[in-house]
Structures are given as C-alpha cells and as structure tokens.
Amino acid sequence: EVACNINIGSTTGAIDRTNFLCILGNNLFNQKYFFMLWLWWVALLLISVFGIFYRLGRILVPGFSRHLLARKIHGNQLSRLKLTSGDCFVLEMLVDNLSPTPKLIDQVLEEIEKKLTEKQRSQLHWKIAEVEDGYKGENVSLNTSGYKKEFPIISENFPLNASAPTDL
C-alpha cells in the first residue's frame, strides 16, 4: 500500500487533489512471498530446535540411545553388554547399513558381544587386583624375558654442572 495523489478537475474549474491508498500488484506479491518465506524460516527453526534436543537426548541419556538401538535389533543380543551412548549410536549406524543382510548383523553383534565381554572381564580382574593389593600396575616392566641388565651411571657422561662451550 502506498499513498497516491489523484488530481481531478472539479466543477468550479479548480483541481481537486485527493489522497488515496493505492494497492500495487507488485506489493501484493511481495507481501505474500515474504509471509511464506517467514513461515518457512519459522518451520526450519522449530525443526532445528527439535533436532538439537533429540541429539542432546541421545548423548546425555544412554537409556534413550539404547532403546533406539533395541528397536532395530530383534532379540536380547544387547542384554549382556554395557554400551555408552556413542557405542549405541555407532552400532545403530552399522545396523542401518547392514540391514539388507540380517545374518551379517547377527555375526557382527555376536563378535562385538564376545570382544566386549572379554574386555569387561579383564577390566573387572584389574579392578579386583587393584583393590586387593592397592597397586595399579603402572610401573610394571614390559620386559617379560626375565633378563635384567643394570646400566651403571657414570658421572662423566652426565655432568651435573654442564655449561655451553665458550670458544666460538
């Protein structure tokens, strides 16, 4: 809408000037176009906010991520595994990509279950050993051959007051 000045000749011979609101066709199109564009941006904003909350839920709530994975894997193959949110997400992506071959999914899940249970058992044994003797095993020698060689420390090789050479 714009203001339009319209000049009309009056019966007295003078010019009658009136101001009307004129509706231009181009403005009508722009009004509808930008309203639709505004609705589109609002819809994208709402979808993005929902997506952010969905991702935060998957990251912060391991049970939610595990539930979404359990919907795609039938049976109780996940019951003995302790998986984090990231593990569940990666495993879900793997199951999505292997969906045309269900036998391969079962084989992969069995292998993961075998490896993770072995790893969890070994971690459990380490934790039990730490509790029993209080030693974490960080300073354990990697030499398993039993051969021990002592290296003598010679003070000539390691001077205590080393200085830079002065003759340049």
Side-chain angles (χ1 to χ4, degrees), residues 1-158:
E1 298 175 352
V2 288
C4 297
N5 291 326
I6 298 177
N7 298 326
I8 300 174
S10 65
T11 55
T12 60
I15 298 176
D16 186 17
R17 294 184 183 175
T18 54
N19 190 348
F20 291 104
L21 287 177
C22 298
I23 298 175
L24 300 176
N26 206 11
N27 285 351
L28 276 177
F29 173 75
N30 285 343
Q31 182 180 6
K32 305 290 188 257
Y33 174 76
F34 284 109
F35 178 70
M36 292 303 294
L37 193 62
W38 181 83
L39 287 177
W40 176 249
W41 281 102
V42 168
L44 286 179
L45 178 70
L46 292 175
I47 290 170
S48 298
V49 167
F50 176 74
I52 288 172
F53 282 120
Y54 173 76
R55 289 292 176 201
L56 282 174
R58 295 242 4 209
I59 292 169
L60 298 176
V61 183
F64 178 59
S65 193
R66 189 176 184 92
H67 170 72
L68 292 175
L69 176 62
R71 290 185 337 168
K72 295 183 180 182
I73 297 175
H74 302 291
N76 59 355
Q77 295 171 328
L78 299 175
S79 62
R80 292 183 296 272
L81 298 177
K82 294 179 184 174
L83 299 173
T84 64
S85 300
D87 295 338
C88 289
F89 177 75
V90 170
L91 198 54
E92 186 178 348
M93 294 297 112
L94 201 116
V95 167
D96 284 344
N97 287 322
L98 293 176
S99 61
T101 55
K103 289 188 178 191
L104 188 58
I105 293 173
D106 291 337
Q107 291 173 354
V108 167
L109 288 174
E110 287 172 8
E111 188 67 27
I112 289 174
E113 181 179 354
K114 187 171 76 173
K115 294 288 183 184
L116 279 181
T117 52
E118 288 174 8
K119 182 180 176 187
Q120 289 169 357
R121 280 189 202 130
S122 68
Q123 287 177 350
L124 180 64
H125 290 302
W126 276 103
K127 287 181 183 177
I128 290 171
E130 288 174 12
V131 171
E132 287 177 355
D133 62 1
Y135 181 69
K136 292 188 177 186
E138 294 170 352
N139 296 324
V140 174
S141 171
L142 298 176
N143 182 7
T144 57
S145 65
Y147 177 73
K148 295 182 181 177
K149 182 176 180 181
E150 298 293 329
F151 294 102
I153 298 176
I154 303 171
S155 62
E156 298 168 359
N157 294 336
F158 302 103

